[in-house]
Amino acid sequence: MKSTISIATFILAVLFLTSCSSIPPSTKAPTALAGWHSLPQVARACGVKSSGWQISREGANLTTSRHKIRLFAESRRMEVNGTLVWLNAPLTAYPTGSTRFFLSPADAADLNTLHQQITSRLPQNKSQRFFTVMLDPGHGGEDSGARSSITGQHEKDLTLDIAKRIGTALARDPIQVVIIRNDDFTMSLDQRTSIAAKNKIDCFVSIHANSAANLNAEGFETYILPAAGYPATNGGEIREPGIGNKWNPANLTLAYTIHNRLVKLGYADRGLKRARFYALQHSTCPAILVEVGFLSNNREARLLNTPAHRQKIADTIAAGIRDYAR
Ligand SMILES: [Zn+2]
């Protein structure tokens, strides 16, 4: 009996030491950040050497042959190959002011997804049928959306025009494009998500244009749902998961694939952001919302009023969808 106890104690001690040795004490999340991931843990989960991080009090950089990731201390800002992606929660140092940084569980999972997308391209189309994308031109009919005081252009007309151009751009691809509103009529948000839910679609892309009191505001924004339990990028309440949270990794992959291309057109990158928009919250497939520029900004309003610029945006979104559908 005595020897049984000592053997059991020995086995427990070995198990304890083994489990401890797999996570060095220096990388273990403190109680205050239980479940958070240290940067070496994040690197290992991605299959990258943890020594790849260059860490200073200002933040951390991870450079591999395929990507460069920049994180900033106590900030939700992250740059992935030069594209701005807003984290769910700030990169947090513990103790405060130190270089021991931790990422929230949702952001560690997102970073892993982005890493896989960049290095191996995750296959999204697992079905035998055609990949189907539903395009949602924002507003319509009685709801004009924003109106540019510079050109007089209505957001509802701009979004429909771009959606049709995306449809044409993808006409020769093995991709079925469904435009939820193919003319100028009123459609509620609930009608849109209900139609999307009734159809077998692989992704949902909502198209909008911005308008702001600050006339200097400009650039592209692409939105996905925040992870459950985290606030939106622009603040607001923390909520329970929406239906759309089921697609968290794919939401991010779809958004990154398109946003990363849009910002290469040379206009301001306002980032891949997170918000609880109705269409995203209630989506039954991976969903994003793209803001294609500011109707309130003099330069962008004039550009958005030209067919050539709208075609450029449509071709870029189409290329992102094509890449995602592979
Ligand atoms: Zn809108």
Side-chain angles (χ1 to χ4, degrees):
M1 190 65 187
K2 199 181 171 190
S3 65
T4 315
I5 290 168
S6 61
I7 288 169
T9 312
F10 174 73
I11 291 171
L12 278 173
V14 168
L15 282 173
F16 177 70
L17 287 171
T18 314
S19 65
C20 285
S21 65
S22 65
I23 302 173
S26 63
T27 66
K28 210 174 158 191
T31 316
L33 297 173
W36 285 47
H37 299 243
S38 70
L39 296 185
Q41 285 175 320
V42 170
R44 278 199 296 273
C46 293
V48 176
K49 278 185 188 159
S50 56
S51 57
W53 285 109
Q54 283 183 303
I55 302 177
S56 71
R57 282 179 196 277
E58 282 71 47
N61 295 344
L62 180 66
T63 308
T64 72
S65 57
R66 300 294 293 275
H67 53 52
K68 188 174 167 70
I69 291 164
R70 293 184 72 195
L71 297 167
F72 302 87
E74 310 304 329
S75 169
R76 284 193 275 174
R77 215 184 148 86
M78 168 168 73
E79 287 172 18
V80 181
N81 287 345
T83 299
L84 177 57
V85 178
W86 292 94
L87 297 166
N88 285 288
L91 175 72
T92 302
Y94 193 93
T96 308
S98 74
T99 55
R100 283 184 62 204
F101 291 114
F102 294 86
L103 272 179
S104 73
D107 291 315
D110 274 3
L111 198 54
N112 201 315
T113 301
L114 278 178
H115 170 79
Q116 288 180 54
Q117 167 68 8
I118 293 164
T119 53
S120 55
R121 302 229 171 275
L122 299 172
Q124 303 297 334
N125 189 8
K126 298 180 186 88
S127 61
Q128 294 303 308
R129 62 189 166 80
F130 267 15
F131 183 93
T132 305
V133 53
M134 185 166 274
L135 301 176
D136 170 39
H139 313 279
E142 290 169 8
D143 168 18
S144 299
R147 180 185 170 276
S148 172
S149 61
I150 299 148
T151 61
Q153 190 179 37
H154 290 285
E155 185 184 353
K156 65 171 183 178
D157 299 325
L158 167 66
T159 59
L160 179 58
D161 179 87
I162 290 177
K164 285 182 173 172
R165 288 175 191 273
I166 296 171
T168 307
L170 292 173
R172 285 164 175 264
D173 289 88
I175 295 174
Q176 194 182 344
V177 180
V178 182
I179 303 181
I180 205 164
R181 169 177 80 78
N182 58 6
D183 211 335
D184 182 20
F185 52 82
T186 310
M187 231 181 163
S188 71
L189 294 173
D190 183 51
Q191 279 175 311
R192 292 170 203 246
T193 48
S194 300
I195 292 171
K198 281 182 195 131
N199 286 273
K200 278 192 173 167
I201 55 171
D202 297 289
C203 71
F204 183 90
V205 178
S206 191
I207 300 153
H208 285 256
N210 260 318
S211 184
N214 172 9
L215 304 182
N216 292 321
E218 60 178 347
F220 292 110
E221 289 177 340
T222 303
Y223 283 91
I224 58 170
L225 262 189
Y230 294 85
T233 304
N234 298 333
E237 57 184 308
I238 294 170
R239 287 204 226 141
E240 292 300 303
I243 304 164
N245 277 123
K246 193 177 165 192
W247 318 103
N248 276 354
N251 289 337
L252 180 71
T253 308
L254 174 63
Y256 180 79
T257 308
I258 290 174
H259 188 76
N260 169 259
R261 284 183 159 75
L262 280 173
V263 297
K264 284 181 183 152
L265 290 178
Y267 304 97
D269 177 9
R270 302 175 64 85
L272 195 167
K273 296 181 168 181
R274 298 157 195 273
R276 290 190 167 83
F277 292 134
Y278 189 94
L280 306 182
Q281 183 87 346
H282 294 86
S283 183
T284 50
C285 67
I288 65 168
L289 187 147
V290 185
E291 298 275 5
V292 298
F294 280 76
L295 287 169
S296 47
N297 177 278
N298 190 38
R299 186 174 72 123
E300 290 196 348
R302 290 181 196 283
L303 279 168
L304 289 166
N305 207 29
T306 66
H309 186 70
R310 295 196 297 272
Q311 188 63 46
K312 219 192 284 184
I313 291 173
D315 286 341
T316 307
I317 295 175
I321 293 169
R322 193 178 290 128
D323 195 8
Y324 177 82
R326 269 211 286 248

